[in-house]
Amino acid sequence: MSSSLRKLIGTVILVITVPVYALIAMVIAVAVLPGANVWWQLVYYLVAGLLWVPPAGGLIVWMAKADRHV
């Protein structure tokens, strides 16, 4: 697979999944966190805010791989 095709596919995946993940995290927060302690809210937002980073980083590493020359 060419580098430009990997970058296109990865970009489309990121553009779709990051907003969907944010919406899901917000729905969970609205359903679970009202009335919760401020510290639990802080922990939730820290975890939810950083949970998307490792998968996105893996996808970006995959996108940046050099082409194999035959």
Side-chain angles (χ1 to χ4, degrees):
M1 181 179 301
S2 71
S3 176
S4 59
L5 182 58
R6 275 195 310 273
K7 288 178 183 177
L8 175 65
I9 292 169
T11 301
V12 169
I13 290 171
L14 283 174
V15 166
I16 291 171
T17 57
V18 170
V20 169
Y21 171 77
L23 289 172
I24 291 170
M26 286 188 299
V27 167
I28 292 171
V30 168
V32 174
L33 292 180
N37 187 341
V38 173
W39 294 109
W40 283 116
Q41 291 180 15
L42 178 66
V43 168
Y44 173 80
Y45 285 117
L46 282 173
V47 171
L50 294 174
L51 196 60
W52 66 275
V53 173
L59 183 62
I60 291 169
V61 167
W62 174 76
M63 290 166 54
K65 265 193 331 187
D67 290 340
R68 275 195 266 169
H69 295 288
V70 178

